[in-house]
Amino acid sequence: MARHSKLQKQILALYRHFLRAGQDKPGFIPRIRDEFRENARIKKTDVMHIEYLYRRGQRQLEQLMDVNTKQLGSFSKPAEKS
């Protein structure tokens, strides 16, 4: 088993925190898994982007842990027309 870097350990811990926080809220677990799987494709050498997403994830986790949070919104890029 390969050793993980400090940043990888932090991201794995963030993922576990998200899963725990999303248990009480319907529909959150699949969304959390999809988001982390999508971002797992980012190159390991793109540290700046990974750190940005980590900080963004921390802020989103704080929102998710708020008892008043009922749903998550997201922004997505519109599909490009061919």
Side-chain angles (χ1 to χ4, degrees):
M1 184 175 197
R3 290 187 169 191
H4 295 295
S5 70
K6 181 180 177 183
L7 184 57
Q8 287 172 322
K9 289 178 184 178
Q10 290 173 325
I11 292 168
L12 290 171
L14 181 67
Y15 180 65
R16 287 191 298 272
H17 287 294
F18 261 104
L19 292 177
R20 285 188 205 115
Q23 284 179 341
D24 300 335
K25 303 187 183 205
F28 278 55
I29 299 295
R31 169 86 187 278
I32 292 166
R33 287 186 178 142
D34 289 344
E35 188 79 22
F36 272 84
R37 280 192 186 118
E38 181 179 325
N39 289 325
R41 297 180 193 147
I42 296 171
K43 293 181 182 178
K44 292 179 182 180
T45 57
D46 195 357
V47 177
M48 295 292 284
H49 187 64
I50 294 169
E51 287 179 348
Y52 163 75
L53 291 172
Y54 175 71
R55 287 189 304 274
R56 188 177 120 203
Q58 287 178 314
R59 288 190 302 272
Q60 288 176 334
L61 179 61
E62 289 175 10
Q63 292 176 344
L64 179 61
M65 293 174 75
D66 184 1
V67 295
N68 296 321
T69 301
K70 305 286 187 242
Q71 63 184 9
L72 286 177
S74 66
F75 296 104
S76 59
K77 295 179 185 176
E80 292 184 19
K81 295 180 181 177
S82 300

